[in-house]
Amino acid sequence: MSKNRILVVDDEKLISWSLAASLKKDGYEVDTAASGAEAVQKFGSFKPDLVMLDICLPDTSGLELLKRFKAANEDLYVIMITAYANADSAVQALQDGAEDYFGKPFNLEAVKHVVERAFEKRRLKKEVDYFRNELRRKSDHEKMVGNSPKMIEVFKMIKICADADAKTVLITGESGTGKELVAKAIHYHSARADAPFIEVNCASIPENLLENELFGHEKGAYTDASRRQKGVFELAEGGSVFLDEIGDMPYQMQAKILKATETKRFRRLGGQEDVEANVRIITATHQDLPRMVKEGKFRGDLFFRLNVMNICLPKLRERKEDIESLVQYFIETLNEEYGRSITHAAPDTLEYLTRYDWPGNVRELRNCIERLMMLEQGKVLTPEFLNPEIKQSRVAAQDPESSGVISTDFAGEHIVLPSTGISLEELEKMLIQLALKKSGGNQSKAAKFLKTSRDTLRYRMKKFGLSDSGKEGENENLETPVAGSGVPHASADGLRWA
């Protein structure tokens, strides 16, 4: 592990030597400079993490060096060294970005404490930056996918709420549609992105604990309250509070949320004074809040206060054109998670996935792709490991009652025509083939069945390239005039014979 580097800049050799010797004993890597020019040179070559800088130097002002060093590295920590007579200069240094200062003469132990405090602050800042970047990375990683018109409208609303710093946003939609992702997108694309984003699931916390979770408590508020504890509204200062499943919040608690939303103030449990809350409140629910208001299960005043900006997420079955993009996105992200190298989903797999209605929405689709990737041994996701209900959806889609295709009986066979339509010539050819099949290949019988002459039938057969032996009244040994020996039915690519 590399040592923290400290550059000591002071023209008094005794001070430089004593500081350097003491700091080296504590494990720091230390270099010294006796002038401004030497300090600039050492700053470039030594690349210190912290500079101890005398305000008065023989060739320049320490305040000028402070500005120069901070301009080059805004994360640099600078501790000024000054005489008591120059306290005003020390105050100016703090205003210009110095971390701290100490005066001459100084106590070495006190100086070491100042240095330790500076590096501890630096370490904590790095940790905060790391976790904040991780949250942003995760938010970006779990991005929302879709180019359908409904999703484009959602993206527009997210941008409006983020840019306008909307103070209350209500997100509605079925479970699994991505309400949490929308809440994160609003937060991380707004001016509040550097402040906390804290989520609370109102359905998962017991009523007697929810108020404490949201607003905190004072010492002695209840038996086990041995000290003051901050709640979510206080911890999220400057950021966003995401109240998921707001429709499940206890009715009595709703009044306190209304007050916090309207006044931006709340009171800790056991507290006597209000606390200000500079937070954005994002709420989400899969429930029908207007209906709940009518039934007296949700406060109307709270609903109207939360419903200033509403983002309604579409069901996945309402934007099936996004399924292929979602599948590819999940493949790419799960490849990284599981160390796989799946390239794509096979066309048949996508056909099954597109026909299914996805009652669990995007969450269910992701779980489906994750399962396929765990079981698939090749590079392409095949339909082999799809759940039966997803495979059966393809058959259901061909059912006239469920898909709107045209169905009829002819020549003792059941005919299903594509809902997308069929040309008259294709239909005529299909009926001739069925009539020939019913008559055992006897053209006279087939012509009677079709209520036309044998010559007309033979003309039509020749037109469509169907076999014709020309032997009247005989059971011509026709080559099978269809692809297979079954019945035509609708499929993704048009008419197909079973």
Side-chain angles (χ1 to χ4, degrees):
M1 184 175 179
S2 60
K3 297 179 180 179
N4 287 317
R5 295 188 179 96
I6 300 175
L7 176 62
V8 179
V9 184
D10 198 302
D11 59 333
E12 296 185 43
K13 291 183 179 181
L14 181 59
I15 290 178
S16 292
W17 175 84
S18 61
L19 284 173
S22 178
L23 293 169
K24 284 178 181 178
K25 284 183 181 180
D26 287 344
Y28 299 109
E29 189 174 343
V30 185
D31 202 349
T32 61
S35 66
E38 187 180 8
V40 171
Q41 186 270 321
K42 293 279 182 75
F43 181 81
S45 59
F46 184 59
K47 299 188 182 306
D49 301 303
L50 183 147
V51 176
M52 303 181 75
L53 179 59
D54 191 6
I55 287 182
C56 297
L57 293 170
D59 57 345
T60 188
S61 164
L63 294 176
E64 291 300 318
L65 283 183
L66 168 64
K67 294 176 183 178
R68 182 168 180 174
F69 291 162
K70 291 292 288 184
N73 180 6
E74 62 180 10
D75 294 326
L76 178 72
Y77 277 65
V78 180
I79 298 174
M80 304 303 293
I81 306 171
T82 180
Y84 287 129
N86 292 323
D88 290 343
S89 298
V91 172
Q92 182 62 49
L94 294 177
Q95 293 175 350
D96 290 341
E99 179 65 23
D100 209 334
Y101 72 92
F102 61 88
K104 299 176 184 178
F106 53 81
N107 179 289
L108 277 175
E109 290 303 316
V111 171
K112 287 196 291 184
H113 178 69
V114 171
V115 172
E116 288 172 3
R117 188 171 59 193
F119 276 117
E120 176 64 12
K121 185 175 180 180
R122 184 172 182 267
R123 183 187 67 79
L124 291 174
K125 183 178 183 301
K126 281 187 174 182
E127 286 187 3
V128 170
D129 289 344
Y130 169 77
F131 287 117
R132 181 177 292 136
N133 289 335
E134 280 294 293
L135 285 172
R136 277 184 173 170
R137 183 193 63 79
K138 185 177 181 183
S139 177
D140 290 340
H141 190 59
E142 297 175 350
K143 64 183 180 181
M144 304 182 69
V145 177
N147 292 309
S148 60
K150 288 181 182 260
M151 285 307 296
I152 289 174
E153 287 303 311
V154 169
F155 296 145
K156 286 180 180 178
M157 286 299 297
I158 289 173
K159 186 176 189 315
I160 290 170
C161 292
D163 291 350
D165 192 28
K167 298 302 187 294
T168 55
V169 181
L170 175 62
I171 307 167
T172 57
E174 288 187 354
S175 294
T177 49
K179 296 186 287 294
E180 181 183 353
L181 291 181
V182 172
K184 288 182 177 179
I186 292 170
H187 175 79
Y188 287 111
H189 289 86
S190 73
R192 296 177 181 264
D194 289 334
F197 173 92
I198 302 181
E199 175 184 356
V200 176
N201 190 308
C202 301
S204 66
I205 301 176
E207 181 176 355
N208 62 327
L209 299 179
L210 185 57
E211 182 176 359
N212 186 63
E213 178 75 13
L214 294 176
F215 303 130
H217 62 256
E218 296 286 356
K219 180 179 179 180
Y222 50 86
T223 304
D224 296 328
S226 58
R227 59 185 179 84
R228 171 187 287 179
Q229 180 175 303
K230 295 181 179 180
V232 166
F233 273 73
E234 207 164 348
L235 294 171
E237 176 66 20
S240 302
V241 173
F242 175 44
L243 301 178
D244 198 8
E245 299 302 346
I246 187 73
D248 293 307
M249 176 173 283
Y251 196 87
Q252 297 301 320
M253 189 66 199
Q254 294 173 23
K256 296 179 180 180
I257 294 297
L258 176 63
K259 176 188 174 183
T261 304
E262 287 186 331
T263 66
K264 300 302 178 185
R265 302 178 71 86
F266 63 92
R267 185 171 294 184
R268 303 187 193 98
L269 278 173
Q272 301 298 318
E273 297 180 356
D274 286 347
V275 180
E276 291 189 8
N278 173 25
V279 294
R280 173 197 286 121
I281 299 175
I282 306 174
T283 56
T285 184
H286 70 280
Q287 302 201 52
D288 185 348
L289 290 186
R291 178 183 57 78
M292 292 181 68
V293 170
K294 290 180 181 178
E295 294 173 354
K297 297 178 180 178
F298 197 86
R299 292 183 63 105
D301 47 5
L302 178 58
F303 169 68
F304 295 124
R305 189 66 188 84
L306 298 177
N307 198 37
V308 176
M309 297 296 288
N310 183 292
I311 300 178
C312 183
L313 294 185
K315 309 171 185 70
L316 184 55
R317 55 188 171 274
E318 295 176 345
R319 57 179 186 108
K320 287 192 173 182
E321 59 267 50
D322 290 331
I323 287 179
E324 185 172 354
S325 299
L326 283 164
V327 169
Q328 191 59 38
Y329 167 69
F330 290 140
I331 288 174
E332 292 170 2
T333 55
L334 291 168
N335 272 337
E336 182 179 341
E337 184 173 341
Y338 289 108
R340 298 298 307 276
S341 55
I342 303 292
T343 57
H344 63 282
D348 283 354
T349 306
L350 288 174
E351 184 179 345
Y352 280 118
L353 297 177
T354 304
R355 288 183 182 276
Y356 185 56
D357 270 346
W358 301 107
N361 294 292
V362 179
R363 182 186 294 122
E364 184 184 5
L365 176 61
R366 186 193 187 283
N367 293 342
C368 172
I369 301 304
E370 184 171 8
R371 179 178 187 273
L372 292 182
M373 291 185 67
M374 295 286 285
L375 298 173
E376 184 63 60
Q377 299 301 309
K379 299 285 188 181
V380 178
L381 296 184
T382 63
E384 180 181 359
F385 301 108
L386 284 171
N387 288 330
E389 62 268 22
I390 296 177
K391 285 187 174 181
Q392 289 167 4
S393 68
R394 185 175 186 177
V395 176
Q398 295 166 357
D399 183 350
E401 295 182 1
S402 64
S403 65
V405 299
I406 301 170
S407 175
T408 188
D409 291 312
F410 178 80
E413 303 285 2
H414 188 67
I415 306 171
V416 181
L417 303 180
S419 59
T420 53
I422 185 172
S423 70
L424 284 173
E425 288 193 347
E426 289 176 311
L427 182 60
E428 184 181 5
K429 178 180 177 180
M430 180 180 70
L431 295 178
I432 291 172
Q433 290 171 322
L434 287 175
L436 288 168
K437 179 184 177 186
K438 181 174 178 64
S439 66
N442 187 302
Q443 294 175 10
S444 295
K445 291 181 180 180
K448 287 180 181 179
F449 191 82
L450 293 170
K451 298 183 179 180
T452 188
S453 68
R454 181 175 180 271
D455 288 340
T456 299
L457 175 63
R458 292 183 66 190
Y459 168 77
R460 300 287 186 188
M461 290 172 64
K462 184 176 181 180
K463 172 184 176 183
F464 296 126
L466 301 176
S467 177
D468 175 18
S469 68
K471 295 182 180 180
E472 167 62 33
E474 294 184 8
N475 185 2
E476 295 98 333
N477 187 18
L478 296 174
E479 294 181 4
T480 304
V482 294
S485 59
V487 182
H489 62 83
S491 70
D493 53 356
L495 198 66
R496 186 178 292 169
W497 291 76

